[in-house]
Amino acid sequence: MTNDTTHGPLLATPWRERDPARAVAWQTDAYAETPWHTLAAFQADIGAWQAALDAHTEPPGDWMLSTHDPYRFGCALIAAWERGDRVILPADTRPATLEALDALGAARLGDIPGGLTPSASPRTPRWGTLEAERIAVSLYTSGSTGEPQRLDKTFAQLNAELGMHAALWPLEARLTLSQVSHQHIYGLLFGVLRPLCERSPFASEVCRYPETLHQWLAHWHAQTQREAVLVSAPPTLERLPETLDWSAVDGVLARIHSSGAPLPRDAAEHAQRLLGVEVREVYGSSETGGIAWRIQQCDSKWTPFPDVEISADSEHQLWLRTPWLTDPTTWTPQADRVVVEDTRFQLLGRSDRIAKVGGKRISLTAFDHALGELPGVRRAHCMPLARRDGRLGAIVELASEAVPHDHSARRRLIQALRTALAPRFENAVLPRYWRFVETWPRDAQGKLGAACLSRLFADLDDPRAPRWLGETLDGPQSARLTLEVPERLAYVEGHFATQPVVPGVVMMRWALHAARESLDLHGVCRDMTRIKFPLLLLPGERVTLTLDATHDSSHETAHDDAHNDAMTIQLRFTFTSQRGTHGTGTLILTPPEGVHHA
């Protein structure tokens, strides 16, 4: 087994080279003054970040880094590394996540609220020393249960994995387009560090929508006549629309990578048919890094990466050794079950999950399977809720015709599910909290991670919140959220005695909160127009909240002339259910005090 920690693509520090005109990042804006961020510009921007860091604290330090675009992320990351700092990558920028990481004493860096930004002018960078065994990044797993766990990755570990990827799938000056977050290990390696270390360009922004992918592929090929590589995930590949003229960009993509969760076979075939190239799936985890890969159309079995050794015990539990674990000589058990066939393997699913509920040990896997076999249920995931004395919460994906849309239908469904489970499980351990979804909630990595789980059950801790049951982003400023009104919502108490209803002002408050959570809009509501509440919204009712935001620098409010010249946001909201429209209107938002838009 090879594990060279002194050489390799990362420890070779290619960003220090003297090749000022070399392209580092491709400007996705067709109207940009120059199509490239060159190596000279990249180095100057590294220096600008270092100047800001130097003004804040002496190295070494701990920095919590989160930025939306890969180029800014790469500049900030290298700036911190070269100072000798350790970089912490939060899985998301939700307030609860950031507050938990604040307790570590790390300062905020990048697009995080309150985060440090680079100095206004480019600077000459300082180069330090990247010791192989030094911690490069600390990641926090999205996790399927419980709180996210910290994972430290050394430069040696990252270096070994990047070297393997470069040998197996060399980029060879192709453009990397990423549709996944670089805050996680897969996006970090494939979307930023691989092209940076292999001296190949990467797109300066994340490609979030299929329309954008189509546009960028056409623009890239017309500009350079070169190929590109797509770094993606199952949710994005599954939703590729047939309506776009993909034949116009046929042949531009040389490879597609997908990771985060297994890609359904029909989705793999769908992506290959539209994009013209097979999908290489990567199997691994934040803890282990990459383990294996496959092309489903060729074979459903997984092929271990070079230097990765795999084995299975009598219970089919997967064991492995890899050069990018802390101890590359020790066999490490995984939570997956496999069947090993020669040097390759088939995945059988997760190992049995055991929890103690009401003092009794139960199999969560058995609950998942039992629910998944019931009529109308597509899949289920059960988990103990720590803040509810370990009682079980259940996320259940239903066929559309089985979804409950009001309080009575929801009660009947829960009773039917409990009755069906009763012959197999004691009443005391049956799920207490139910979340019924039409589409399986997944994060950007294609997982039902800790952030999704937190949102699904957040109303249990906040009696003012609706039940969040999923969302779809239709563009950078458009979203559709599925919500349910909790029967014990604090706002319906005393409103009214004969029939509790959700006040209109609460719907507007929910729209504002959803805009902050889903669209990252943090404006202050200064005015409102066309507000209507034509239909009462009742406890237990299931609604779709549609949000559309537009930016307008000309709008003026009559209430506060001081904000007339500020960039305003017009946030249109609509609450609809099977019964009709419950609320609609436009909220006029302006930036918080001290925040201005160019």
Side-chain angles (χ1 to χ4, degrees):
M1 180 182 295
T2 61
N3 188 23
D4 188 346
T5 61
T6 59
H7 300 88
L10 183 65
L11 293 176
T13 59
W15 52 85
R16 299 181 189 174
E17 295 173 350
R18 294 184 178 180
D19 187 4
R22 174 162 68 83
V24 170
W26 179 61
Q27 292 267 42
T28 55
D29 183 359
Y31 300 101
E33 294 182 6
T34 172
W36 307 104
H37 290 292
T38 64
L39 182 59
F42 186 64
Q43 291 174 344
D45 288 335
I46 290 172
W49 279 99
Q50 285 183 334
L53 295 172
D54 292 344
H56 191 276
T57 185
E58 292 292 324
D62 290 346
W63 293 95
M64 190 189 340
L65 170 60
S66 177
T67 70
H68 295 298
D69 70 77
Y71 178 75
R72 280 172 58 88
F73 177 88
C75 294
L77 181 69
I78 301 301
W81 279 355
E82 292 286 3
R83 275 182 20 116
D85 298 330
R86 179 172 67 105
V87 176
I88 298 170
L89 301 183
D92 56 71
T93 55
R94 290 168 54 81
T97 302
L98 299 180
E99 288 170 8
L101 296 181
D102 281 338
L104 301 175
R108 296 184 180 188
L109 183 64
D111 299 332
I112 311 175
L116 194 66
T117 57
S119 67
S121 58
R123 304 289 182 88
T124 301
R126 298 189 316 278
W127 306 129
T129 303
L130 272 59
E131 299 92 350
E133 300 308 319
R134 194 180 107 204
I135 294 174
V137 293
S138 295
L139 302 120
Y140 282 80
T141 63
S142 57
S144 58
T145 60
E147 294 298 322
Q149 297 297 309
R150 170 179 154 178
L151 298 170
D152 293 332
K153 297 288 184 179
T154 65
F155 284 106
Q157 290 174 278
L158 297 179
N159 190 60
E161 192 163 3
L162 288 167
M164 178 272 294
H165 290 149
L168 183 63
W169 297 316
L171 289 175
E172 297 174 325
R174 298 183 179 98
L175 172 70
T176 294
L177 293 172
S178 179
Q179 295 185 305
V180 301
S181 170
H182 39 259
Q183 302 292 134
H184 304 268
I185 188 65
Y186 167 55
L188 172 67
L189 292 173
F190 277 76
V192 176
L193 293 183
R194 277 203 62 193
L196 190 59
C197 290
E198 294 182 49
R199 300 167 179 81
S200 294
F202 59 94
S204 60
E205 299 178 67
V206 174
C207 184
R208 302 187 184 280
Y209 308 104
E211 295 80 6
T212 306
L213 173 63
H214 186 278
Q215 177 186 349
W216 287 1
L217 287 175
H219 177 41
W220 165 256
H221 193 256
Q223 190 179 81
T224 67
Q225 300 299 307
R226 282 154 57 184
E227 293 179 321
V229 172
L230 179 64
V231 180
S232 193
T236 310
L237 296 175
E238 290 179 74
R239 294 196 294 264
L240 286 172
E242 302 267 2
T243 52
L244 293 173
D245 182 13
W246 294 107
S247 64
V249 294
D250 186 46
V252 181
L253 280 176
R255 276 198 300 271
I256 303 172
H257 296 291
S258 176
S259 189
L263 184 67
R265 175 66 182 266
D266 58 351
E269 294 172 347
H270 171 74
Q272 180 174 358
R273 179 170 53 83
L274 296 184
L275 298 177
V277 65
E278 57 206 6
V279 181
R280 286 170 168 80
E281 292 181 75
V282 177
Y283 163 61
S285 69
S286 300
E287 294 87 349
T288 64
I291 296 173
W293 66 280
R294 71 175 179 181
I295 300 173
Q296 282 202 69
Q297 291 88 328
C298 300
D299 198 334
S300 62
K301 301 185 186 71
W302 295 87
T303 300
F305 283 122
D307 290 335
V308 173
E309 299 177 79
I310 57 107
S311 181
D313 60 23
S314 59
E315 301 297 324
H316 297 289
Q317 185 175 17
L318 173 64
W319 290 72
L320 61 90
R321 292 196 299 189
T322 86
W324 30 92
L325 285 175
T326 304
D327 184 353
T329 64
T330 300
W331 286 91
T332 305
Q334 303 302 302
D336 290 311
R337 297 169 60 248
V338 299
V339 171
V340 178
E341 302 174 7
D342 296 325
T343 59
R344 296 184 297 163
F345 61 91
Q346 293 271 16
L347 277 174
L348 301 179
R350 305 289 286 180
S351 301
D352 206 21
R353 298 178 296 128
I354 303 297
K356 183 170 284 190
V357 179
K360 302 179 183 296
R361 286 172 58 83
I362 62 167
S363 166
L364 298 177
T365 305
F367 263 113
D368 296 348
H369 289 166
L371 280 168
E373 293 169 355
L374 298 180
V377 177
R378 289 176 174 163
R379 70 177 114 176
H381 177 84
C382 295
M383 57 176 287
L385 301 177
R387 296 187 181 182
R388 288 295 181 271
D389 298 325
R391 295 299 301 268
L392 288 189
I395 301 106
V396 182
E397 182 183 1
L398 298 170
S400 58
E401 63 273 12
V403 173
H405 289 271
D406 58 37
H407 173 65
S408 298
R410 190 173 190 276
R411 285 191 64 181
R412 289 194 300 270
L413 176 59
I414 291 174
Q415 186 56 51
L417 294 176
R418 289 177 62 89
T419 299
L421 293 174
R424 299 177 58 178
F425 304 96
E426 295 184 40
N427 184 68
V429 301
L430 294 179
R432 175 80 174 272
Y433 306 99
W434 300 83
R435 299 294 180 265
F436 300 112
V437 300
E438 292 183 72
T439 303
W440 197 246
R442 293 185 287 194
D443 58 24
Q445 308 305 309
K447 300 178 181 180
L448 177 63
C452 286
L453 293 171
S454 174
R455 296 185 77 178
L456 284 162
F457 294 99
D459 64 286
L460 295 179
D461 297 318
D462 185 355
R464 303 164 299 173
R467 290 190 189 113
W468 179 89
L469 299 175
E471 68 185 32
T472 300
L473 297 179
D474 297 319
Q477 301 298 317
S478 300
R480 285 176 289 125
L481 291 80
T482 301
L483 306 175
E484 197 170 64
V485 182
E487 288 78 357
R488 297 183 180 180
L489 182 71
Y491 294 118
V492 304
E493 295 180 7
H495 194 95
F496 295 98
T498 56
Q499 172 59 70
V501 301
V502 179
V505 67
V506 172
M507 283 189 256
M508 291 192 292
R509 184 173 298 174
W510 286 352
L512 275 172
H513 180 77
R516 296 187 184 104
E517 288 278 303
S518 302
L519 302 180
D520 198 28
L521 298 179
H522 296 278
V524 177
C525 184
R526 301 288 178 180
D527 202 355
M528 58 191 73
T529 62
R530 304 182 188 91
I531 305 296
K532 298 178 182 178
F533 302 105
L535 193 62
L536 296 178
L537 182 57
L538 310 178
E541 198 145 26
R542 189 183 189 95
V543 293
T544 298
L545 168 58
T546 303
L547 299 173
D548 289 289
T550 56
H551 295 264
D552 182 7
S553 59
S554 63
H555 181 87
E556 297 185 359
T557 69
H559 299 295
D560 190 348
D561 291 338
H563 291 273
N564 287 350
D565 59 350
M567 173 70 76
T568 64
I569 301 169
Q570 298 191 40
L571 177 67
R572 293 183 295 277
F573 70 89
T574 307
F575 286 86
T576 57
S577 74
Q578 277 195 334
R579 295 197 296 121
T581 300
H582 299 270
T584 182
T586 300
L587 304 179
I588 310 300
L589 313 181
T590 57
E593 296 292 342
V595 178
H596 301 281
H597 296 275

